[in-house]
Amino acid sequence: GQQLNQSPQSMFIQEGEDVSMNCTSSSIFNTWLWYKQDPGEGPVLLIALYKAGELTSNGRLTAQFGITRKDSFLNISASIPSDVGIYFCAGQLRSGNTGKLIFGQGTTLQVKP
Amino acid sequence: GAVVSQHPSRVICKSGTSVKIECRSLDFQATTMFWYRQFPKKSLMLMATSNEGSKATYEQGVEKDKFLINHASLTLSTLTVTSAHPEDSSFYICSARDDRRQKNYNEQFFGPGTRLTVL
């Protein structure tokens, strides 16, 4: 089945540093999504990407949909302690409302104040 | 934003008993609801997709008689873990989506999850 390879698996950084994580797949996706999950909670959508090459920002977060539609990255600038959590990429194979989501393995982020 | 709730948030049960988990969309109507399972430090694995008023579609390897899903209304879906065993212990997360809108992407809104522990 389809798989998303997300890296790195975990990161431990100093407050103020920038963070970058990425996802790759052997399949082409129509939509790429980035979620954050806090301990004991459900995922919350951070950024949604719909077009190949699209670059979208949400505050200190920036994500891009790869040209080949098989990859995406998420950057977090000037990290703060509340950025701690697990970040998941997810891809939707079909456009519109017919597709299910496939999740990456997650990147655990820890920020040292 | 749209809110999805789950009840209970935590449940501990004895092996062999059945457990029901509720997923509700509080401020929107969900034509489609999804049930996921998540093991510690692992990704979300889709178990099944349910559409209001019809039978759920289960992912490969998920036992439909073990995990009963009912989506009787546009705001409520339930997952019943029947004859639970310790290996069923996990974090179960639902999500809800309104598919009546034609958009690039209809967002899935996730519930806060239910921690199931089977003794």
Side-chain angles (χ1 to χ4, degrees):
Chain A
Q2 296 86 13
Q3 277 191 312
L4 291 184
N5 298 310
Q6 186 171 348
S7 64
Q9 186 175 1
S10 63
M11 302 180 73
F12 189 91
I13 62 170
Q14 196 77 31
E15 182 178 0
E17 290 183 353
D18 297 343
V19 172
S20 183
M21 59 192 79
N22 69 83
C23 274
T24 60
S25 172
S26 57
S27 300
I28 293 175
F29 288 95
N30 279 316
T31 305
W32 279 91
L33 307 153
W34 284 93
Y35 289 87
K36 183 189 178 195
Q37 184 180 27
D38 291 327
E41 298 290 332
V44 174
L45 182 65
L46 299 174
I47 292 180
L49 302 158
Y50 307 114
K51 297 179 182 179
E54 180 180 356
L55 182 71
T56 298
S57 293
N58 178 8
R60 293 178 295 106
L61 278 60
T62 302
Q64 184 160 30
F65 193 153
I67 290 292
T68 64
R69 293 162 65 191
K70 294 183 177 181
D71 63 299
S72 177
F73 71 75
L74 173 71
N75 287 340
I76 305 174
S77 63
S79 58
I80 59 178
S82 61
D83 290 336
V84 166
I86 304 176
Y87 292 79
F88 289 100
C89 63
Q92 181 167 296
L93 291 169
R94 297 180 184 175
S95 59
N97 56 19
T98 57
K100 59 185 180 184
L101 295 181
I102 298 170
F103 282 82
Q105 301 97 326
T107 296
T108 300
L109 178 64
Q110 294 177 298
V111 180
K112 184 178 180 180
Chain B
V3 180
V4 176
S5 70
Q6 280 184 242
H7 178 79
S9 57
R10 291 177 179 271
V11 57
I12 301 173
C13 69
K14 293 182 179 179
S15 185
T17 61
S18 294
V19 175
K20 180 184 284 188
I21 302 170
E22 293 185 347
C23 177
R24 293 181 185 272
S25 56
L26 298 185
D27 51 2
F28 70 103
Q29 292 184 324
T31 57
T32 308
M33 286 188 171
F34 303 86
W35 286 95
Y36 296 84
R37 184 174 183 178
Q38 186 179 31
F39 291 103
K41 298 184 180 180
K42 296 293 185 182
S43 186
L44 282 75
M45 300 299 295
L46 180 64
M47 299 174 66
T49 303
S50 72
N51 294 293
E52 184 264 340
S54 61
K55 291 184 179 180
T57 301
Y58 289 81
E59 294 299 303
Q60 190 173 7
V62 178
E63 299 177 60
K64 62 180 182 180
D65 295 330
K66 172 77 172 175
F67 299 99
L68 300 178
I69 292 173
N70 183 279
H71 191 166
S73 77
L74 285 172
T75 58
L76 173 65
S77 176
T78 60
L79 167 67
T80 302
V81 183
T82 62
S83 186
H85 291 286
E87 56 266 30
D88 298 325
S89 299
S90 192
F91 193 52
Y92 292 88
I93 306 173
C94 73
S95 69
R97 188 177 74 188
D98 184 353
D99 285 337
R100 293 171 296 181
R101 299 179 181 183
Q102 294 301 316
K103 296 171 63 177
N104 276 338
Y105 171 70
N106 290 322
E107 185 175 348
Q108 287 186 35
F109 297 95
F110 285 83
T114 296
R115 173 75 59 192
L116 170 63
T117 303
V118 185
L119 302 177

